Amino acid sequence: MPAELREHAGRHYAVRFTYALPDDSWAVELSEAVPTPAARTEVPDAATHLPGTAFLVAFVPDEDPDLGPRVHIHSHDEHVIPYEIMHWFMEQVADQVDRCRIGFEQGVPETAE
């Protein structure tokens, strides 16, 4: 699934949605985006940046309505996350929570946008 990218103060960030099968949850991952490898820059409409290693992951369950979302910090290094980027990430998480809750109510498994 393609990632959503955002630039803030000259740094690039990415939010990516993946499905975490062992957790029966959608994983909403925040990472610092990295420049696209030179070999891909000649591809038409190629992204200039790609998601890096996730340092913040929110797990949003889509099969058990009794489980709430949870956020995990995955980092060996310190990451300073600007407020605007953290707000953007949490909006993405909140939207995924809403989609999953609607799926619970309708009895339909949820997919990320």
Side-chain angles (χ1 to χ4, degrees):
M1 164 172 267
E4 294 189 35
L5 302 170
R6 181 152 302 176
E7 183 179 354
H8 177 77
R11 296 178 86 166
H12 293 83
Y13 297 88
V15 169
R16 177 173 46 189
F17 295 83
T18 59
Y19 195 77
L21 203 54
D23 297 302
D24 292 325
S25 298
W26 282 98
V28 184
E29 305 173 346
L30 177 64
S31 67
E32 199 161 334
V34 296
T36 302
R40 292 185 62 188
T41 58
E42 296 179 14
V43 176
D45 299 322
T48 59
H49 287 78
L50 299 171
T53 303
F55 51 81
L56 198 57
V57 181
F59 290 96
V60 181
D62 71 340
E63 292 188 16
D64 186 348
D66 295 327
L67 295 176
R70 60 204 184 281
V71 176
H72 294 237
I73 299 169
H74 297 276
S75 180
H76 297 292
D77 300 327
E78 180 177 316
H79 288 275
V80 175
I81 304 169
Y83 173 80
E84 292 82 1
I85 296 301
M86 189 65 178
H87 188 263
W88 170 60
F89 172 69
M90 292 308 298
E91 284 178 337
Q92 300 294 320
V93 173
D95 288 347
Q96 187 62 33
V97 168
D98 290 344
R99 285 191 292 274
C100 288
R101 289 189 176 155
I102 289 169
F104 290 144
E105 292 170 6
Q106 296 176 349
V108 179
E110 181 53 43
T111 59
E113 283 186 354

